[in-house]
Amino acid sequence: MQAYLDCRQAKRNTASALAFEQDLERNLCALHAELTAGTYQPGRSICFVITRPKPREVWAADFRDRIVHHLLYNRIAPRFYASFIADSCACIPGRGTLYAAQRLESKVRSITQNWSRPAHYLKMDLANFFVSIDKHILRELLAKRITEPWWMRLADTLLFHDPRQDFEYHGKPALLDKVPPHKRLTNQPVHLGLPIGNLSSQFFANVYLDVLDQHIKHRIGARHYIRYVDDFILLHESPQWLNDARKEIESFLPARLNARLNPSKTILQPVDRGVDFVGQVIKPWRRVTRKRTVNEAINRVASIRAEDLFETANSYFGLLGQATRSHKHRARLANAIRPRGHSIKSDLTKAYRRPS
């Protein structure tokens, strides 16, 4: 029941959620019976393509399967979170993009002694991360902390379920062609890849990359390090030290996790040029929203359907407000919204509904 309540918070009005809730008690009892008897198997998924910020496949599990994801997560996540480093972000309560940006800013100010000394940063990204996760390696990592046989069997069921065997594609078929072949789950071997879009996949990804976190912190000895999903940054006074760390990481990843870096997204430069991370750019004494994000927000509120503008506009106001220097960007956003009939709060933090 608790897993159901957690699941419905963001999925209450979806078709599968409404269908499940039409006969809630019977459906929950049936799901419970399948789980206790060991006959539960995940159902059909929905596949679709998103294009922002770049084209990628998303796999949405059925609502009853999402309840099971929450069931497993609620049971096993705390024991893993207890061992995660404080610099591991995403899919951890209280550690979203704002936490990541603020923590990186504090690390930059620490290593530069409030921007009074030079330092460098090394930013790296894993190549084709979600579709290249090795399930066998991940299973070993899960088994180290899941000691109860029933819960381990459930984790195996979710981990090794292949959504490609039973799914519906929603959307224009032409959108699939925009996703590069090497980034499609449908093109990967059966033992590789997790479906983007499920809570279980996000949590499993953190378990997988905790191995990298521990190696960088305790073996390489990086004092200033932070990771958000598969993007991570190391800070140091010496660019040579960072280059040596990069070489060590390049050799560690394929040997331990069957993963590799994306060389086109490896950046080494001084921090005073600005550090772009989780949609914000950390500069001396300020954090600003990435220009591409601001421009996308302006263009979207200018072209979106009128009935969707109120929610979208306030979502962007909240996003831009996370930066410490955001007045100019929020003013641009407000000027794009006003001509469409919405009033804006005087401190540029929210839009009001249009009068009926």
Side-chain angles (χ1 to χ4, degrees):
M1 186 65 186
Q2 184 59 53
Y4 156 72
L5 293 173
D6 293 340
C7 183
R8 76 171 185 173
Q9 287 184 1
K11 301 295 177 182
R12 190 89 191 260
N13 294 321
T14 61
S16 60
L18 293 173
F20 190 90
E21 290 184 346
Q22 283 182 347
D23 198 352
L24 177 61
E25 185 175 350
R26 185 184 300 276
N27 288 330
L28 278 179
C29 288
L31 181 57
H32 179 271
E34 290 180 26
L35 289 165
T36 54
T39 60
Y40 165 79
Q41 289 297 323
R44 176 173 295 182
S45 296
I46 293 174
C47 176
F48 58 93
V49 174
I50 61 171
T51 56
R52 291 193 305 267
K54 54 187 177 182
R56 65 178 63 188
E57 290 177 337
V58 177
W59 299 79
D62 190 68
F63 186 76
R64 75 192 301 268
D65 296 325
R66 290 177 177 268
I67 294 175
V68 179
H69 297 170
H70 280 271
L71 177 71
L72 179 68
Y73 173 84
N74 290 346
R75 175 72 179 196
I76 69 172
R79 67 186 72 176
F80 285 92
Y81 288 162
S83 65
F84 286 174
I85 64 172
D87 301 308
S88 170
C89 309
C91 195
I92 299 175
R95 299 193 199 176
T97 55
L98 179 57
Y99 172 91
Q102 291 174 334
R103 192 161 181 86
L104 176 59
E105 182 180 32
S106 69
K107 289 177 178 295
V108 171
R109 293 183 63 174
S110 173
I111 197 170
T112 61
Q113 295 192 10
N114 280 334
W115 303 98
S116 64
R117 292 187 177 183
H120 291 74
Y121 76 92
L122 174 65
K123 182 179 180 182
M124 290 174 282
D125 177 277
L126 297 185
N128 313 318
F129 173 57
F130 272 96
V131 298
S132 62
I133 291 176
D134 192 313
K135 295 181 181 179
H136 297 299
I137 295 175
L138 178 54
R139 203 270 179 191
E140 294 177 2
L141 298 173
L142 292 170
K144 289 181 179 179
R145 293 188 180 274
I146 306 177
T147 57
E148 308 92 330
W150 189 91
W151 290 101
M152 191 64 234
R153 284 195 299 271
L154 182 59
D156 284 340
T157 299
L158 299 182
L159 174 61
F160 290 104
H161 170 65
D162 189 352
R164 299 171 296 181
Q165 302 300 316
D166 184 15
F167 73 94
E168 295 178 7
Y169 177 74
H170 289 192
K172 298 179 180 179
L175 287 177
L176 273 175
D177 296 332
K178 295 185 177 183
V179 182
H182 62 280
K183 291 184 177 293
R184 295 183 190 174
L185 183 64
T186 50
N187 292 340
Q188 302 305 316
V190 68
H191 71 286
L192 293 182
L194 296 178
I196 297 176
N198 292 336
L199 172 66
S200 56
S201 297
Q202 298 174 49
F203 172 69
F204 287 160
N206 267 339
V207 174
Y208 196 69
L209 289 183
D210 180 59
V211 177
L212 175 64
D213 296 339
Q214 302 295 340
H215 182 78
I216 291 177
K217 292 290 288 186
H218 303 299
R219 295 294 182 181
I220 296 179
R223 292 183 56 210
H224 302 285
Y225 162 80
I226 191 166
R227 176 181 62 81
Y228 189 90
V229 193
D230 62 325
D231 294 328
F232 54 100
I233 289 180
L234 290 80
L235 303 167
H236 202 272
E237 297 87 349
S238 167
Q240 183 57 52
W241 187 95
L242 290 172
N243 265 322
D244 292 341
R246 176 185 56 80
K247 294 176 183 177
E248 169 64 22
I249 293 170
E250 282 180 333
S251 62
F252 171 80
L253 282 171
R256 182 66 182 89
L257 294 176
N258 193 23
R260 60 185 180 87
L261 293 176
N262 185 343
S264 65
K265 293 187 178 181
T266 299
I267 301 172
L268 174 60
Q269 65 178 15
V271 297
D272 57 11
R273 294 185 183 179
V275 186
D276 189 334
F277 191 58
V278 294
Q280 296 190 32
V281 181
I282 289 86
K283 295 183 176 182
W285 304 108
R286 66 193 188 278
R287 278 186 289 109
V288 298
T289 307
R290 184 188 295 158
K291 287 184 179 179
R292 185 179 68 189
T293 303
V294 176
N295 291 334
E296 180 179 319
I298 303 302
N299 293 334
R300 193 173 182 203
V301 299
S303 59
I304 199 171
R305 297 185 308 171
E307 55 267 32
D308 297 330
L309 179 58
F310 173 74
E311 290 81 3
T312 302
N314 282 312
S315 176
Y316 278 124
F317 272 125
L319 177 65
L320 298 181
Q322 292 183 356
T324 58
R325 297 286 181 87
S326 64
H327 184 273
K328 179 175 69 175
H329 294 155
R330 287 184 284 117
R332 286 185 58 196
L333 181 65
N335 289 335
I337 296 170
R338 285 194 188 97
R340 302 197 62 183
H342 289 268
S343 299
I344 308 297
K345 193 175 180 181
S346 60
D347 60 359
L348 305 180
T349 58
K350 66 181 291 185
Y352 295 104
R353 293 188 183 275
R354 294 177 62 180
S356 56

